[in-house]
Amino acid sequence: MSNLIFNFNSIKTKKLKYPKNILGGKGANLAEMGRLGYPVPSGFTISTKVCELFYQNKKNLNNKIKKNINIEIKKIENEIGKKFGDLQNPLLLSVRSGARVSMPGMMDTILNLGLNDQTVKALANITKNKRFAYDSYRRFIQMYSNVVLNIENYKFEELIENYKLTKGVLLDTDLDENDWEGLIRDFKNVVNLEKKMEFPQDVNVQLIGAISAVFLSWESNRAKTYRKINHIPSDWGTAVNVQSMVFGNMGKNCATGVVFSRDPANGNKEIYGEYLINAQGEDVVAGTRTPQYITKKSRKKSKLNELSLEETMPKIFRQLKKILFSLEKYYKDMQDVEFTVENNKLWILQTRSGKRTAKSAIKIAVDMVNEKLISKKDALLRIDPNSLDNLLHPSLDEKSSFEVLAQGLPASPGAASGKVVFSSEEAERLNSIMQDSILVRIETSPEDINGMHAAKAILTSRGGMTSHAAVVARGMGRPCVSGSSEIEIDYEKKIFKIKNKSIKEGETITIDGSTGRVIFGEVKTIKPEISGDFLKVMKWADKFRKLKIRTNSETPNDTKTAREFGAEGIGLCRTEHMFFDEDRILSVREMILSKSKADRDKALSKLLPYQKNDFIKIFTIMKGLPVTVRLLDPPLHEFLPKSKEEILSVSKSLNLTSEEVEQRIQELHEQNPMLGHRGCRLAISFPEIYEMQCRAIFEALVNCKKNKVNSILPEIMIPLVSTEAEIKIMKDLVIKIAKQVESESKIKLKFLVGTMIELPRAALKAKDIAKHAEFFSFGTNDLTQTTFGISRDDSAKFLNDYIENKIFDIDPFVSIDDGVGSLIEIASEKGRKQNNKIKLGICGEHGGDPKSISFCSKTGLHYVSCSPYRVPVARLAAAQAEIKK
Ligand code: PEP
Ligand code: MG
């Protein structure tokens, strides 16, 4: 059983041997804290390996494991002098999940396990606190029934709410032992009615049920969704931590809370946290009672009257602060600690690296370098590149006028506008039709995770900075305002009221998660910029990385943004995207639909000045840096006219009848346009198209030179090449036009000709292709599509099933698959063999994905190219890849 179950104590004397992949994050840190002598309640961790065995054994724990669990329980009994199921002094347990990385609120927890109709009496006796004992028992029945027996929680909550109404009280804390005793009877009836069984009284049955349920929660829908969003592999599994209970709900000398060693929202070096007197852990995060602050300073800042822990329990506060700082120093990272105070004794239930906003991640990393706690390399590794996306969120334009409806807590930064929705389903529906929504809930629960992902921002009327809504929104990078207690939400009527105003579902509001403001209507936002600590981190990243970062851009605006974000050139300018404008599309349609070369030339001559002017603008913005211009590569169907008016308009310009145009559309119809007449195949049939484009590029170059805009480095890229002959013909075409423009302008032109590698054949025959190409750019969107034979346009319909069935861990269109990766390696090697100066880059969507960037770095590519807003992400990811080598 050596790597299946670990007692916190057995690891005490040894240097920690078992990493997080076996003990889970929570288990590893509990063991480590135990070893270092922190006040951790006794317990043990059932490893992630058991999770694997559990699923292999048809979702059952085998007898050997059950036996070992009993042995571990005995050890706890000996350590603390209580007995599991005892009628004098019963041991109660908590059973919690603990995956390798923390997945807040996504899996299950059961507290107060070991209570039944008999042990509850013993607990009441020994603590001389009947109210506490019965309150704990009803909590246990509620949690166990929900988690293990799958009875919906509202069935119990409703009973409590109705009972409070009859009794005429508001708070759960107003209910006494007799009230809870009565409610327990009702709770057990619910179990009986729903499951046709008695609530389990055997504590061993309870324990095995709870452990199994935690393992099962690894495969719950919410955990699966969370894993998908955060790219967590499904085969990691979870560990389970079984610990003796300590109680924060025994009375006024008891409390429970969460505390961070630095402020998770802004990174300031100040303790930040929340707690509740006379409560159990879940009360703080569930948002059912609004918690109080830990420090006097934050209490005063928020103008709350309820006293902080610093004021109510000053001694505990000092002790907690000391532990918090020493844990931070030990782990060299900002810590998020859960604690409980039982009759004036402090217990630490968990420590982990605190989730933080991108802004605070950067501040903390820079501060810790200044404090000499970590190195610059460590600092760079601490920041999740994907999270930088959030810093690039727009913020409110404070100069515009707007009406602030309400104020809440600034739980997750960024500003967003959208239509009010009250359910996750509605948020998902609007998202599917490309409409922005703001999810408005009294509080969120793990069931809301899909809706939170689909919405642009989240607003809750209850809950603090560590509520579910706040933690999950921060993790997802969604702006969130939590605990906006002035708003009154009515789910039935689908409205929320604030002061005298009522806001209906579908009306637009704006959320400012950086200040906590809730605003009526849409507000203008402003573009972010890289400055301060962010700029510092980017500069550090630039020092470490070897990969160059380029951008995919075809408009002057995007090109400017990308350059401001640090792009070192354009890796892909999709020229077909330059034709989408209304005034150009007609000429493109004429070009595509024309039957004769003469008609086509006419249409092309109309497009030439547009192309040329666009290139002049883009070259000027990117001067001094390379610009890869890809010649036309549209699946033609994207450009064909569809509506009657569109067809009429093309037929007029082409002097054809509508019927003739429709007939031509029929002729051009392709069963499989993605594999059809696109890319260089188009230019094999109609070379005049690429000739016009090359002329536009070269004339733009001449124009720039004449205007003293020098150091323009165009790289002309041929798409969808699969054979040596194709690239040879295309290269000759490019050179022919270059010569023409050189002789017309008397200016010598400098440029490169290269190709995309986006078809498996091109990758396999890269040596031949490299004879005619000065660079390769891997088009991993098409390369993934053609390697798998999975249409990139239709894959979304079934890829989920592939992820569910563990065929794919991650969508291969998001992160480079290793089969596609092999083709890239083969092509790079063959390309280099033919031409050791060949430039290698990637321009598919993968160019902005940190995992794929790491692969590109290992494969020795020279650059990655991504969308403008991913450039800072790629700069950091490229540095991390280099540091990790
Ligand atoms: C690619 O296929 O990866 C690529 C960048 O080209 P496009 O997405 O335009 O087909
Ligand atoms: Mg492509």
Side-chain angles (χ1 to χ4, degrees):
M1 299 299 288
S2 62
N3 62 351
L4 298 183
I5 298 183
F6 303 87
N7 190 289
F8 303 160
N9 259 340
S10 65
I11 310 177
K12 239 178 203 169
T13 48
K14 300 174 207 150
K15 186 89 191 118
L16 183 66
K17 261 191 1 215
Y18 301 101
K20 289 186 175 167
N21 58 349
I22 295 183
L23 293 173
K26 190 182 291 183
N29 288 357
L30 278 167
E32 190 71 343
M33 284 198 292
R35 192 176 71 80
L36 296 166
Y38 289 98
V40 173
S42 318
F44 57 92
T45 301
I46 306 173
S47 79
T48 53
K49 182 85 193 126
V50 179
C51 186
E52 199 184 317
L53 296 173
F54 173 82
Y55 280 99
Q56 279 167 10
N57 194 29
K58 301 196 179 93
K59 300 181 186 166
N60 281 306
L61 292 166
N62 67 38
N63 287 337
K64 205 165 159 199
I65 291 168
K66 284 186 192 161
K67 218 172 107 201
N68 277 276
I69 290 173
N70 284 333
I71 296 172
E72 292 304 326
I73 296 285
K74 292 263 162 335
K75 284 190 200 156
I76 304 182
E77 290 176 344
N78 292 337
E79 231 173 279
I80 64 169
K82 294 181 183 179
K83 272 187 88 165
F84 194 43
D86 194 47
L87 300 186
Q88 303 291 325
N89 192 5
L91 165 68
L92 302 190
L93 300 169
S94 70
V95 179
R96 296 169 200 260
S97 60
R100 209 187 284 198
V101 293
S102 107
M103 296 169 54
M106 292 306 128
M107 285 179 294
D108 289 326
T109 289
I110 294 160
L111 304 178
N112 309 326
L113 189 136
L115 281 173
N116 58 26
D117 294 352
Q118 303 309 317
T119 53
V120 69
K121 288 182 198 155
L123 184 67
N125 262 338
I126 200 152
T127 59
K128 304 204 174 24
N129 190 341
K130 193 171 169 194
R131 186 202 177 275
F132 153 72
Y134 282 81
D135 177 37
S136 302
Y137 189 23
R138 71 89 191 173
R139 284 171 188 267
F140 170 56
I141 299 179
Q142 226 174 313
M143 271 186 157
Y144 191 93
S145 302
N146 180 239
V147 170
V148 185
L149 307 177
N150 296 316
I151 303 174
E152 284 174 286
N153 199 32
Y154 80 88
K155 299 208 162 129
F156 302 100
E157 283 298 330
E158 235 170 41
L159 287 173
I160 302 178
E161 289 309 311
N162 290 341
Y163 187 82
K164 283 196 290 196
L165 276 180
T166 356
K167 196 174 169 181
V169 297
L170 275 176
L171 300 172
D172 287 6
T173 40
D174 293 330
L175 299 181
D176 64 23
E177 58 253 43
N178 297 324
D179 301 323
W180 288 127
E181 217 177 341
L183 278 164
I184 284 168
R185 271 193 299 277
D186 297 342
F187 280 14
K188 288 202 286 193
N189 284 338
V190 171
V191 174
N192 212 311
L193 213 72
E194 294 282 325
K195 295 285 150 183
K196 310 276 170 289
M197 63 180 274
E198 296 299 322
F199 184 79
Q201 294 291 310
D202 180 335
V203 294
N204 290 307
V205 170
Q206 292 176 356
L207 181 60
I208 298 304
I211 294 170
S212 306
V214 173
F215 281 140
L216 286 173
S217 69
W218 176 254
E219 288 296 342
S220 65
N221 284 338
R222 58 181 200 255
K224 282 199 236 171
T225 307
Y226 187 89
R227 288 205 293 271
K228 202 169 118 201
I229 295 169
N230 294 286
H231 304 317
I232 298 171
S234 55
D235 60 4
W236 280 4
T238 182
V240 179
N241 298 291
V242 179
Q243 237 179 330
S244 70
M245 281 294 302
V246 286
F247 296 98
N249 60 333
M250 263 192 188
K252 296 225 159 23
N253 292 333
C254 303
T256 190
V258 182
V259 62
F260 294 82
S261 57
R262 301 186 191 219
D263 190 325
N266 55 29
N268 286 346
K269 203 179 172 191
E270 286 166 2
I271 290 189
Y272 182 84
E274 294 168 338
Y275 83 111
L276 281 169
I277 298 239
N278 198 10
Q280 272 198 334
E282 300 303 300
D283 299 342
V284 181
V285 282
T288 42
R289 273 164 73 187
T290 297
Q292 296 155 236
Y293 286 101
I294 296 283
T295 61
K296 194 166 148 188
K297 191 171 161 195
S298 24
R299 199 255 305 165
K300 286 201 157 157
K301 213 163 97 192
S302 64
K303 300 192 180 76
L304 279 188
N305 291 329
E306 283 81 8
L307 292 182
S308 64
L309 184 80
E310 188 172 1
E311 293 154 301
T312 54
M313 297 181 172
K315 220 173 120 200
I316 296 283
F317 172 76
R318 283 196 297 276
Q319 199 189 347
L320 179 64
K321 195 168 154 183
K322 210 168 138 199
I323 291 178
L324 196 58
F325 288 148
S326 71
L327 282 172
E328 180 180 284
K329 217 166 159 191
Y330 181 78
Y331 285 108
K332 296 188 188 335
D333 196 8
M334 186 262 266
Q335 294 298 294
D336 161 357
V337 167
E338 272 180 33
F339 66 94
T340 284
V341 181
E342 181 184 285
N343 291 328
N344 287 325
K345 171 156 175 47
L346 175 66
W347 292 96
I348 304 295
L349 302 187
Q350 146 168 337
T351 191
R352 59 184 169 190
S353 287
K355 289 237 180 287
R356 62 204 81 177
T357 60
K359 185 173 162 209
S360 60
I362 286 186
K363 175 156 174 46
I364 291 169
V366 171
D367 284 353
M368 285 188 169
V369 170
N370 292 339
E371 291 161 28
K372 303 210 168 15
L373 204 57
I374 57 174
S375 66
K376 283 182 187 159
K377 280 186 183 174
D378 287 334
L380 290 172
L381 293 175
R382 285 289 164 79
I383 304 162
D384 172 7
N386 280 321
S387 76
L388 296 183
D389 236 8
N390 306 336
L391 289 182
L392 303 166
H393 277 171
S395 58
L396 288 188
D397 180 357
E398 299 292 344
K399 286 196 206 101
S400 57
S401 62
F402 48 78
E403 178 193 354
V404 177
L405 287 175
Q407 183 71 38
L409 300 171
S412 177
S417 305
K419 290 182 174 165
V420 168
V421 297
F422 294 99
S423 69
S424 286
E425 291 73 30
E426 186 60 9
E428 288 184 83
R429 191 186 69 80
L430 289 189
N431 189 38
S432 71
I433 51 171
M434 314 283 275
Q435 292 193 14
D436 296 343
S437 67
I438 309 287
L439 180 63
V440 181
R441 303 281 298 164
I442 297 171
E443 65 210 18
T444 62
S445 73
E447 274 69 37
D448 291 318
I449 182 148
N450 283 318
M452 295 174 81
H453 197 233
K456 283 281 165 289
I458 297 116
L459 165 65
T460 68
S461 59
R462 271 200 225 153
M465 292 287 281
T466 49
S467 64
H468 176 267
V471 172
V472 175
R474 280 201 289 274
M476 282 182 181
R478 293 283 177 283
C480 173
V481 172
S482 67
S484 180
S485 51
E486 303 157 287
I487 68 167
E488 241 178 82
I489 299 172
D490 187 332
Y491 289 141
E492 292 266 299
K493 293 197 181 122
K494 297 193 177 158
I495 53 167
F496 75 81
K497 287 192 184 147
I498 168 75
K499 293 167 199 150
N500 300 324
K501 215 175 176 110
S502 120
I503 313 287
K504 291 197 255 345
E505 185 164 76
E507 283 192 88
T508 299
I509 60 168
T510 299
I511 297 294
D512 180 11
S514 312
T515 61
R517 285 173 298 178
V518 182
I519 297 160
F520 187 64
E522 191 170 338
V523 183
K524 232 174 97 187
T525 51
I526 43 178
K527 211 166 84 178
E529 58 173 40
I530 299 180
S531 59
D533 286 342
F534 191 2
L535 183 64
K536 201 176 257 177
V537 164
M538 283 293 109
K539 284 190 175 155
W540 291 347
D542 292 346
K543 273 217 182 97
F544 287 105
R545 74 182 158 88
K546 294 224 171 84
L547 270 177
K548 293 272 181 205
I549 312 299
R550 297 198 196 177
T551 192
N552 293 358
S553 165
E554 45 272 331
T555 66
N557 211 4
D558 281 359
T559 307
K560 205 161 153 279
T561 304
R563 191 149 193 184
E564 282 161 12
F565 286 163
E568 296 161 300
I570 290 185
L572 175 63
C573 170
R574 291 178 164 104
T575 50
E576 60 275 11
H577 286 195
M578 296 166 136
F579 292 147
F580 279 136
D581 270 17
E582 235 176 280
D583 46 350
R584 308 177 184 192
I585 189 112
L586 182 63
S587 312
V588 179
R589 285 181 179 145
E590 286 171 28
M591 170 189 84
I592 294 172
L593 293 166
S594 50
K595 279 180 148 170
S596 65
K597 180 161 182 316
D599 276 350
R600 201 159 25 253
D601 282 343
K602 211 167 100 198
L604 285 168
S605 67
K606 286 192 219 162
L607 288 170
L608 178 75
Y610 286 126
Q611 286 256 279
K612 182 173 153 184
N613 282 331
D614 282 348
F615 291 138
I616 292 172
K617 285 186 199 141
I618 290 175
F619 288 162
T620 308
I621 298 168
M622 273 293 164
K623 89 173 172 242
L625 296 171
V627 174
T628 308
V629 179
R630 182 180 71 185
L631 303 183
L632 206 67
D633 176 30
L636 285 183
H637 67 293
E638 282 182 15
F639 286 95
L640 291 176
K642 290 185 185 77
S643 70
K644 276 221 163 74
E645 296 80 64
E646 287 169 355
I647 293 176
L648 199 67
S649 156
V650 189
S651 52
K652 267 193 200 145
S653 352
L654 283 174
N655 261 335
L656 297 170
T657 63
S658 293
E659 289 71 33
E660 280 174 308
V661 170
E662 275 173 29
Q663 161 85 24
R664 183 83 182 114
I665 293 173
Q666 283 295 321
E667 282 164 23
L668 287 172
H669 173 78
E670 292 181 309
Q671 294 296 349
N672 245 327
M674 271 289 182
L675 301 178
H677 201 188
R678 59 178 282 223
C680 67
R681 296 165 198 169
L682 212 56
I684 295 289
S685 311
F686 312 118
E688 54 275 20
I689 299 179
Y690 278 16
E691 286 173 4
M692 178 282 281
Q693 291 199 290
C694 290
R695 178 162 280 280
I697 296 168
F698 295 135
E699 287 186 2
L701 197 55
V702 167
N703 185 296
C704 287
K705 286 210 168 191
K706 284 189 176 156
N707 288 312
K708 307 250 169 318
V709 183
N710 290 313
S711 318
I712 314 278
L713 309 164
E715 298 179 347
I716 297 171
M717 180 154 78
I718 314 296
L720 224 72
V721 164
S722 58
T723 66
E724 182 188 347
E726 282 169 328
I727 181 73
K728 183 173 181 318
I729 295 172
M730 290 302 132
K731 188 170 185 185
D732 290 348
L733 179 152
V734 177
I735 289 171
K736 179 181 90 183
I737 303 297
K739 288 212 167 113
Q740 283 174 11
V741 177
E742 278 179 344
S743 86
E744 287 157 21
S745 64
K746 313 274 176 289
I747 287 180
K748 181 104 191 91
L749 300 171
K750 240 179 93 184
F751 60 93
L752 301 182
V753 181
T755 180
M756 298 198 68
I757 300 285
E758 49 186 345
L759 294 171
R761 190 180 193 282
L764 298 170
K765 301 300 279 179
K767 193 155 181 275
D768 296 337
I769 290 173
K771 288 180 202 157
H772 315 280
E774 288 153 295
F775 64 88
F776 284 169
S777 177
F778 292 98
T780 43
N781 303 331
D782 274 312
L783 191 58
T784 303
Q785 162 169 263
T786 48
T787 301
F788 279 104
I790 289 179
S791 154
R792 58 198 261 197
D793 291 337
D794 301 316
S795 63
K797 285 187 201 142
F798 59 88
L799 272 191
N800 254 349
D801 301 336
Y802 267 58
I803 289 169
E804 292 252 314
N805 284 291
K806 302 189 177 140
I807 299 167
F808 292 152
D809 256 341
I810 302 178
D811 180 342
F813 288 99
V814 172
S815 231
I816 290 180
D817 157 75
D818 63 348
V820 176
S822 298
L823 284 171
I824 296 176
E825 284 162 352
I826 293 170
S828 303
E829 203 188 310
K830 287 181 187 273
R832 277 196 211 99
K833 252 196 196 136
Q834 177 64 41
N835 168 9
N836 62 9
K837 291 215 180 69
I838 196 161
K839 260 201 212 181
L840 301 170
I842 174 177
C843 64
E845 284 310 298
H846 304 85
D849 165 60
K851 242 180 114 187
S852 312
I853 291 172
S854 163
F855 166 81
C856 294
S857 162
K858 277 191 211 129
T859 313
L861 302 196
H862 299 106
Y863 69 86
V864 300
S865 187
C866 56
S867 66
Y869 280 84
R870 299 294 294 179
V871 168
V873 175
R875 284 164 77 186
L876 176 58
Q880 290 186 346
E882 206 56 47
I883 294 168
K884 282 185 195 157
K885 262 184 191 167

